[in-house]
Amino acid sequence: MRTPVHLPTGGNSWDLLSKWFHEEHDYEWMKLHRSSRAIQPLCRALLGIMSIIFGLTALVKLVGPDAPPTTFGKYLGAIVVVSCFVIAGYWFTRPFPGRRGLIAFAIFADIGLAGAVLMVSDRDSATFGCITFAVSGTYATLFVSAKWLLSHVAWATGVSIVVFVLAFTEGTVDHGTLLARALVLFAAVTLLPVFTHLTWRMMYRDARESDQDPLTGLFNRRGLDAAVSDLFDQARDNALCLAFIVVDIDKFKSVNDAYGHAEGDLVIKRTANRLSTHLGQRAVIGRVGGEEYLAVISGPADVITTVTGGIVQSISDHPDQIRTTVSVGVAIMPTESKAWTGGTSAISVASNAADSMMYQAKAAGGNGFRTTNI
């Protein structure tokens, strides 16, 4: 289940920057979001090629006339060359990494680039070499959080300052030329990544919130359709059962009538939170009506039976000031079900079956559940 991001809109620029800095980064967007999966192979190929280019550059430097003069420098250069080719192989052959892998690559790239420009004996060339931090800055903009991006920017800016100070003290380059290069580099390495990351995260947040129910933070109907389709494909590919669950709060109108809509909203959120906690990360959950939820869960048959059987108790068995119960309908697609052959049209069939089961539970007095296999 996705963890929503709740950030209010409006405010001044400092508020915007603060929200951007503290926002939790979704490191799984490239792997989990349907719209981004098509570009995964391209991104992996580009990052692999970039690693090879860095490795070849380090190799040319290692064996060329400007090779490091010390043994330590030669060993360090050899380690960088080997590491670049190993990492390139990883990008070409392994699945897209998660948080640790993405951050590790960013750190490796920054340390490698810093070593490369600092070991260049020609300080004039080294000042040009600092522009390569714009490449790792582009990577950081796309794949790491604001805090890690700022760490990259601070590192790249600091290394660049050291290189320019060394070039200035040597006096081999005209000071006016150095100043012009420094200003261009500052824009490309320091300002542009921050501005781009801030803009991209704002657009990402808006897109993400467009498929989110504002009251509960669960999926709305639009977001749920895409998430259920993904889960359906994953369950079919891994030979897992799939359960469609419809949950409806019993006699909810009487809650609004007796306590008001504000308290009614709290009951809706409370029910959503308890349902999410009970089903956990294995499920996708959406609010599809005023007091109605649709959840879909995949897993082995015995796990699904246990989890669905405990939904009513997990939501209703609490000493709340405003006591409510729920009616639950479940439609299970076992691995041997013929419904799988219907493709994604089976999603509609299963949802309708679960809805029918929910109405049977409600007709029996509520505070219970009914289940069926399709």
Side-chain angles (χ1 to χ4, degrees), residues 203-224:
M203 295 172 62
Y204 171 81
R205 189 188 310 146
D206 288 344
R208 185 170 180 174
E209 291 178 350
S210 69
D211 62 13
Q212 183 182 101
D213 173 53
L215 178 61
T216 62
L218 301 176
F219 285 116
N220 58 22
R221 177 69 74 175
R222 175 180 179 272
L224 188 64

Side-chain angles (χ1 to χ4, degrees), residues 244 246 329-332 346-360 370-374:
F244 290 73
V246 174
V330 181
I332 299 176
I347 294 175
S348 177
V349 174
S351 299
N352 291 335
D355 197 53
S356 177
M357 290 296 101
M358 184 275 293
Y359 278 111
Q360 287 187 27
R370 295 289 186 274
T371 183
T372 186
N373 286 2
I374 62 171

Side-chain angles (χ1 to χ4, degrees), residues 97-136:
R99 178 181 181 274
R100 289 184 179 179
L102 293 170
I103 292 175
F105 183 74
I107 294 173
F108 169 78
D110 276 348
I111 292 176
L113 290 175
V117 296
L118 288 173
M119 286 192 296
V120 174
S121 56
D122 182 356
R123 300 305 179 188
D124 185 25
S125 299
T127 59
F128 280 109
C130 290
I131 197 65
T132 54
F133 280 117
V135 178
S136 57

Side-chain angles (χ1 to χ4, degrees), residues 61-62 64-75 77 115 118-123:
K61 176 67 178 175
L62 186 64
D66 293 328
T70 65
T71 302
F72 174 77
K74 289 182 172 65
Y75 276 120
L118 288 173
M119 286 192 296
V120 174
S121 56
D122 182 356
R123 300 305 179 188

Side-chain angles (χ1 to χ4, degrees), residues 128-372:
F128 280 109
C130 290
I131 197 65
T132 54
F133 280 117
V135 178
S136 57
T138 301
Y139 170 87
T141 297
L142 291 174
F143 297 116
V144 300
S145 68
K147 294 178 182 178
W148 278 106
L149 173 77
L150 292 177
S151 298
H152 154 79
V153 167
W155 174 266
T157 303
V159 171
S160 299
I161 289 173
V162 171
V163 171
F164 273 79
V165 169
L166 291 173
F168 179 84
T169 56
E170 284 190 357
T172 56
V173 185
D174 177 71
H175 292 172
T177 302
L178 276 180
L179 178 60
R181 289 180 191 173
L183 291 175
V184 172
L185 189 71
F186 180 73
V189 172
T190 305
L191 297 182
L192 187 59
V194 173
F195 174 77
T196 305
H197 193 279
L198 177 61
T199 304
W200 135 246
R201 292 305 299 175
M202 289 175 61
M203 295 172 62
Y204 171 81
R205 189 188 310 146
D206 288 344
R208 185 170 180 174
E209 291 178 350
S210 69
D211 62 13
Q212 183 182 101
D213 173 53
L215 178 61
T216 62
L218 301 176
F219 285 116
N220 58 22
R221 177 69 74 175
R222 175 180 179 272
L224 188 64
D225 287 345
V228 171
S229 182
D230 284 349
L231 190 61
F232 179 91
D233 292 341
Q234 294 171 20
R236 180 180 56 194
D237 294 343
N238 293 284
L240 296 173
C241 297
L242 205 62
F244 290 73
I245 306 160
V246 174
V247 178
D248 190 88
I249 303 174
D250 296 325
K251 301 176 181 178
F252 181 72
K253 184 177 183 300
S254 64
V255 174
N256 278 337
D257 291 344
Y259 300 98
H261 288 282
E263 292 295 330
D265 286 348
L266 293 177
V267 170
I268 289 174
K269 290 192 286 187
R270 182 184 74 194
T271 304
N273 291 336
R274 289 175 181 172
L275 181 62
S276 300
T277 300
H278 180 72
L279 296 182
Q281 298 293 323
R282 65 176 71 89
V284 294
I285 311 172
R287 181 183 174 211
V288 295
E291 66 274 15
E292 185 174 318
Y293 312 85
L294 172 62
V296 184
I297 182 174
S298 66
D302 57 337
V303 173
I304 283 182
T305 299
T306 301
V307 171
T308 55
I311 292 175
V312 173
Q313 183 178 10
S314 69
I315 295 176
S316 303
D317 192 13
H318 296 272
D320 300 311
Q321 184 175 1
I322 302 177
R323 298 291 298 272
T324 56
T325 60
V326 293
S327 296
V328 179
V330 181
I332 299 176
M333 290 177 57
T335 54
E336 67 274 11
S337 173
K338 295 182 179 179
W340 293 102
T341 60
T344 54
S345 63
I347 294 175
S348 177
V349 174
S351 299
N352 291 335
D355 197 53
S356 177
M357 290 296 101
M358 184 275 293
Y359 278 111
Q360 287 187 27
K362 195 172 287 289
N367 196 28
F369 86 105
R370 295 289 186 274
T371 183
T372 186

